[in-house]
Structures are given as C-alpha cells and as structure tokens.
Amino acid sequence: MTLAYKEREKKGNGARKNHGVSYRPPGQCKLLLVLLVASWNVMLMDNWPGYDLDLFTYPQHYYGDLECVLIPHGIIVDRIERLAKDIMKDIGYDDILVLCVLKGGYKFCADLVEHLKSISRNSDRFVSMKVDFIRLKSYKDVVGTGRTMKALLSSIEKYKPNMVKVASLLVKRTARSDGFRPDYAGFEISDVFVVGYALDYNEYFRDLNHICIINEHGKEKYRV
C-alpha cells in the first residue's frame, strides 16, 4: 500500500509512526493512498483456475509450495501502468507525496512511482514526487475488511489534506468486508491466500514475481 499526495506547501512538521494507524502529512496537501480501488478494476471470478505453474519460471525453492499462478508478473506491470495514467489524469500535475505502507506494498509502490515518473518525464510539465513509508500493526497487505484502512484515513483527515485518494493492487471479495472501496484498484480477487510480488507468508515468497496461491504444503512448510 502506498500513500501519495499532492503537496501545495513545501514546509510542514511531518511526523511518522511505525505502528498503529497514525500519520501526519507535511502541510496542506492532496493525498493519494496507494495500496498493494473509483476506477474500473479487473475482476477475477471465484471459479478462475489460474495458470499452470509449468508455464512460468519461479524460484526453485518454492517448488511444491504453490497451487497456481493467479496473476502473472507481466499482467501486473501492464495493469500498474494503466493505474498510473488514471491517477495522473485525475490528480493533475501538482507535486505528489507517496506514502508506502510496508512491507507488502513496497513493490507495488516502486513500480507505480516509476510509471508516474515516466508520465511526468514525457509531459510538458514536471511533477515532483516524494516517497515516505509507514507500517501498520494490523495491515495485511491486501484490502480485505477495510477496517484498518478506514482508521488510517481517519487519522490522516485530522490534518486536513486538500485531497486523499487510495489505490490498491489487490482487493478481496470477502463476507467480512465493511464496504470500503479504494479509489484505484488493480485486481479484484476471491478470498484466497495469495503470495508473491512482495506479499509474504511469514516473510517467505516476497522474492516471487508472480502473484500465486499458496497450497497447504507451503503453509505447513513455512508455518511459524
């Protein structure tokens, strides 16, 4: 997850905590929270079987630990490029501060920022971007119930940013959801346990480029 916001004042007493849901934006700003969804998102249906693992390359030390490739790396990259275009179109060309929610959001954040910078470099106006980081105690890398995100946004709103937007790479369909919907989304998936593309299981699988479904053998193998 990443928070990105457009700054209008360069000065401000920014404060950050690496736990809980507290964050103080630097001065008055337009804030975009980028997670690892209202633009259209790509919906993967509950009966989507994924791709056979034999069609892709992935680290050998995970052989036998995965059920399938849910979203290949190339599709992830293409989708993030489109999200970047949507974000720049909606936010415009003010300065942007990106707040990345660690740890699972760092890969999505890095790729999204790179695409945002590419759009800036090829436009007639330069957009300044800063990146900051925050860690939340109960954050699970993917938008599920939405409760943690609402708490974080409530904390940020106290400082009256000019704009707050949320972007997420993955949103889960779950009966536990409280109805929260981020402003930008990459993919909507069923309530399955996914790893890869910086999403982990007990710190494993962050080095996996594709988003995959972990199998029961993998859960048991890396259980703490």
Side-chain angles (χ1 to χ4, degrees):
M1 174 176 77
T2 313
L3 284 166
Y5 39 109
K6 297 192 211 173
E7 291 185 285
R8 285 193 176 175
E9 294 183 4
K10 294 299 183 181
K11 297 181 180 179
N13 296 320
R16 175 177 49 182
K17 291 185 178 181
N18 63 358
H19 61 279
V21 292
S22 179
Y23 186 80
R24 181 181 300 171
Q28 296 297 312
C29 59
K30 292 185 178 179
L31 176 61
L32 168 69
L33 174 58
V34 183
L35 311 172
L36 194 199
V37 243
S39 64
W40 294 102
N41 59 283
V42 178
M43 181 180 295
L44 276 65
M45 305 305 294
D46 291 344
N47 60 354
W48 168 240
Y51 296 92
D52 192 298
L53 291 164
D54 291 338
L55 298 175
F56 301 90
T57 59
Y58 61 99
Q60 186 173 350
H61 46 269
Y62 296 138
Y63 284 11
D65 302 329
L66 302 169
E67 183 176 322
C68 67
V69 173
L70 188 66
I71 311 175
H73 181 256
I75 295 178
I76 296 171
V77 173
D78 285 352
R79 182 63 181 140
I80 294 175
E81 182 178 8
R82 178 51 192 260
L83 289 179
K85 292 179 179 179
D86 290 344
I87 290 169
M88 292 296 282
K89 178 181 177 181
D90 293 344
I91 292 183
Y93 288 87
D94 291 331
D95 293 345
I96 299 175
L97 174 59
V98 178
L99 178 61
C100 176
V101 179
L102 298 171
K103 298 180 183 176
Y106 79 86
K107 180 64 174 171
F108 175 46
C109 173
D111 287 348
L112 180 61
V113 168
E114 185 58 36
H115 283 300
L116 292 171
K117 288 182 177 179
S118 177
I119 294 173
S120 173
R121 286 193 297 266
N122 291 283
S123 69
D124 57 356
R125 294 184 60 186
F126 173 74
V127 178
S128 175
M129 294 182 201
K130 298 178 182 178
V131 180
D132 206 347
F133 302 89
I134 187 173
R135 295 184 69 175
L136 305 179
K137 278 185 176 180
S138 60
Y139 181 60
K140 300 300 181 182
D141 298 328
V142 178
V143 174
T145 65
R147 288 188 288 270
T148 302
M149 183 51 50
K150 281 189 173 180
L152 175 58
L153 292 175
S154 177
S155 175
I156 291 171
E157 288 288 0
K158 296 176 183 177
Y159 302 100
K160 302 185 183 303
N162 292 327
M163 178 190 292
V164 178
K165 294 288 186 179
V166 179
S168 175
L169 180 60
L170 298 178
V171 176
K172 281 188 176 182
R173 293 188 298 276
T174 172
R176 302 186 303 276
S177 173
D178 62 2
F180 174 79
R181 299 292 295 183
D183 300 286
Y184 304 93
F187 304 91
E188 180 178 310
I189 64 175
S190 57
D191 193 7
V192 292
F193 199 136
V194 292
V195 293
Y197 197 71
L199 301 174
D200 77 301
Y201 178 62
N202 293 328
E203 297 301 324
Y204 292 93
F205 299 100
R206 293 195 190 277
D207 56 337
L208 179 63
N209 286 331
H210 313 294
I211 293 177
C212 300
I213 298 178
I214 186 174
N215 61 24
E216 293 303 319
H217 177 270
K219 293 177 184 177
E220 184 61 32
K221 179 180 178 179
Y222 298 107
R223 191 185 307 277
V224 175

